[in-house]
Amino acid sequence: MNTLERYQILFNKINQYSSGDIGITRVAYTKEEQACTQAFMRMCKAEGMDIRMDECGNVIARREGRVKDLPPVLMGSHLDTVYQAGKYDGVVGVTAALEVVKRLNDKGIETDHPIEIISFACEESARFGVSTLGSKAMVGIFDKEKVRSLKDRNGITLEEAFDLCALEIDNIELASRKNEDIKAFFELHVEQGPVLENAHKKIGIVTGIAAPVRYSIIIEGTPSHSGTTPMNMRSDALLGASEIALELEKIAKDEQNFGTVATVGVLTIQAGAMNVVPGQVEIKVDIRSTSIESRQRVINHLQQMIQSVGANRKLKIISHEISSEEPVLLSKDIVSVTESICQKRDIPYQIMVSGAGHDAMNMTKLCPTGLIFVPSVNGLSHHPDEFTELHDIMIGIDVLEEVILHYAGAGTSGTVKVSHE
């Protein structure tokens, strides 16, 4: 069996864990996600790695190095998904990391530095409206008081979800590695956009990551009968929400030269019915950019809109910030090394920024960090039809393997004991 066939089998095994009939649904801290995590831990153990799970649910699989007490080199991504997702987001990075370890074992390469695979918990915001919780916990910025009471669509709080997974949110500080010496972290990820495909490039070398600010906005009007309430006497919460959404689109377009985007991704009508003027609506807003100044202009405009719409339509509007991330720059040294690897291998590459957030942005607080993209067909992501060519993934793994060896030290070749269960 060649490496391509082996990787395809590994990839398919991970993606058998899902709920629902459309796409992949493996949402954070659910039984499907936990089953997938346990399966991945068994796969890592079979490669001779030491396995542990921290207090946030992050999996850390460690391959010891040849030289005692050297800091580890980390690589990984996440296994959780949004609802009705594709197969590639996050999974490519975790499975690629395991494939790198499999290759090192096959070649009998013992690196100087330890190597760790990290499968981060709750990278996606789909369930609780907050993202990258696992990497936040690892770098020591998990605000448990801010997030413990957040609820999913079924009314389950984050704290309750932790309990159901035998995790204790009050122990989350124990997951922090902020006082630990770590050599570097690398994340291989599908681009989730059209840039690489349109430019006919096989590798994206990321220099910076845009970060989101997210808001929950509750618009309160007066529910009333749709047939007996004159149009000029209505206090329609849905129309107020719609006006905010449309104005948000306009201001984001004014800022698009800075790569700034704004999205209303959730709209919920309380007790909605066809014959009732909506009395309460909640919208959830995502605003992101690599420019803090541009993003702040959109936020300021949003707050002005809230006041204006509330006054003009006689609505009570309450805005609550769910989360706020800071845009980050990635390691220039890692960018340079990765670029040299692509040049040496004659791989077409692009220097670029990421509009999507990733665990890599938090890991910059711990160590030098690199983010490598492989193309997404039609730029499609967070969708059942998300797709990346297997050949392109293998190119990404080739680059990941070489950059890991560069930072971990090629060490010696010899016998590496593994148990292929």
Side-chain angles (χ1 to χ4, degrees):
M1 183 188 305
N2 60 35
T3 56
L4 188 148
E5 293 170 332
R6 178 175 69 187
Y7 177 77
Q8 182 72 76
I9 291 171
L10 168 61
F11 183 80
N12 290 341
K13 282 183 178 179
I14 290 295
N15 279 312
Q16 69 182 329
Y17 297 94
S18 175
S19 64
D21 299 323
I22 301 174
I24 302 292
T25 297
R26 191 168 52 242
V27 181
Y29 304 122
T30 59
K31 62 181 181 180
E32 294 82 15
E33 185 260 355
Q34 291 293 292
C36 183
T37 296
Q38 291 295 324
F40 181 71
M41 292 170 72
R42 293 192 295 271
M43 295 174 190
C44 292
K45 185 177 181 180
E47 292 301 320
M49 306 185 81
D50 296 322
I51 317 297
R52 69 182 179 91
M53 179 180 286
D54 71 15
E55 288 72 15
C56 194
N58 297 316
V59 173
I60 298 104
R62 184 178 175 100
R63 185 182 193 263
E64 289 297 343
R66 183 177 63 87
V67 181
K68 185 178 174 67
D69 296 329
L70 286 182
V73 175
L74 280 50
M75 57 179 168
S77 193
H78 62 98
L79 293 173
D80 68 309
T81 72
V82 300
Y83 295 98
Q84 298 184 353
K87 298 179 179 180
Y88 297 84
D89 177 6
V91 173
V92 165
V94 177
T95 53
L98 182 53
E99 172 59 26
V100 167
V101 169
K102 286 176 178 287
R103 292 182 182 188
L104 298 184
N105 286 343
D106 287 349
K107 297 170 186 176
I109 294 176
E110 188 177 13
T111 56
D112 294 334
H113 291 256
I115 293 173
E116 292 183 2
I117 299 175
I118 311 295
S119 175
F120 290 106
C122 198
E123 193 273 350
E124 300 288 3
S125 61
R127 185 173 183 188
F128 294 104
V130 288
S131 62
T132 64
L133 287 185
S135 52
K136 284 185 173 76
M138 188 169 288
V139 306
I141 58 171
F142 186 110
D143 188 343
K144 63 187 178 185
E145 299 309 326
K146 188 174 182 178
V147 302
R148 70 162 74 230
S149 298
L150 294 176
K151 294 182 180 180
D152 68 8
R153 56 177 62 176
N154 296 315
I156 297 173
T157 67
L158 179 62
E159 183 171 13
E160 289 168 342
F162 264 54
D163 289 341
L164 291 171
C165 296
L167 300 168
E168 293 186 38
I169 199 167
D170 284 322
N171 290 336
I172 202 71
E173 290 82 4
L174 297 176
S176 174
R177 301 177 71 174
K178 64 182 180 181
N179 296 321
E180 184 179 335
D181 188 13
I182 296 174
K183 179 84 181 271
F185 171 75
F186 299 92
E187 184 170 8
L188 180 68
H189 207 282
V190 294
E191 182 199 345
Q192 301 179 276
V195 174
L196 293 177
E197 184 180 52
N198 289 347
H200 305 291
K201 306 295 185 183
K202 295 299 181 182
I203 291 291
I205 303 173
V206 181
T207 58
I209 303 174
V213 173
R214 291 182 170 132
Y215 292 92
S216 167
I217 303 172
I218 296 177
I219 301 99
E220 294 184 356
T222 303
S224 57
H225 195 291
S226 65
T228 61
T229 310
M231 296 300 294
N232 64 345
M233 297 178 66
R234 297 184 178 196
S235 180
D236 190 321
L238 177 57
L239 294 182
S242 302
E243 188 172 343
I244 290 172
L246 290 171
E247 285 296 315
L248 190 62
E249 178 192 33
K250 290 180 182 179
I251 188 61
K253 284 183 174 180
D254 290 342
E255 297 288 333
Q256 61 187 333
N257 288 340
F258 299 94
T260 303
V261 294
T263 306
V264 176
V266 175
L267 187 153
T268 305
I269 303 174
Q270 185 185 60
M274 188 176 294
N275 61 343
V276 177
V277 176
Q280 185 181 98
V281 171
E282 180 185 20
I283 59 174
K284 291 185 178 178
V285 175
D286 178 301
I287 304 168
R288 63 180 71 197
S289 180
T290 53
S291 167
I292 295 176
E293 294 79 8
S294 175
R295 189 181 71 176
Q296 189 59 48
R297 285 193 292 270
V298 176
I299 293 170
N300 292 344
H301 191 79
L302 172 63
Q303 299 302 330
Q304 292 169 9
M305 281 191 296
I306 287 172
Q307 293 181 7
S308 175
V309 171
N312 293 338
R313 291 187 174 273
K314 298 180 181 179
L315 301 168
K316 179 182 178 182
I317 305 178
I318 301 172
S319 173
H320 169 68
E321 182 184 288
I322 299 174
S323 63
S324 178
E325 318 288 349
E326 292 301 317
V328 298
L329 298 178
L330 302 181
S331 166
K332 292 182 180 179
D333 181 70
I334 290 176
V335 168
S336 178
V337 168
T338 310
E339 188 173 13
S340 296
I341 290 170
C342 290
Q343 291 171 346
K344 181 181 69 175
R345 289 175 169 265
D346 199 26
I347 298 171
Y349 68 92
Q350 173 119 357
I351 302 295
M352 61 190 300
V353 298
S354 173
H358 299 281
D359 289 304
M361 67 187 182
N362 294 325
M363 294 301 287
T364 60
K365 298 180 185 302
L366 286 186
C367 60
T369 296
L371 179 59
I372 301 167
F373 282 163
V374 291
S376 296
V377 172
N378 296 323
L380 196 61
S381 189
H382 285 184
H383 188 280
D385 294 337
E386 173 184 88
F387 183 71
T388 293
E389 297 284 354
L390 183 58
H391 178 68
D392 289 342
I393 296 174
M394 300 309 289
I395 292 173
I397 296 174
D398 291 343
V399 174
L400 179 64
E401 178 185 7
E402 189 160 344
V403 77
I404 288 292
L405 284 174
H406 176 90
Y407 282 90
T412 59
S413 295
T415 302
V416 179
K417 295 182 180 180
V418 298
S419 172
H420 294 284
E421 295 177 344

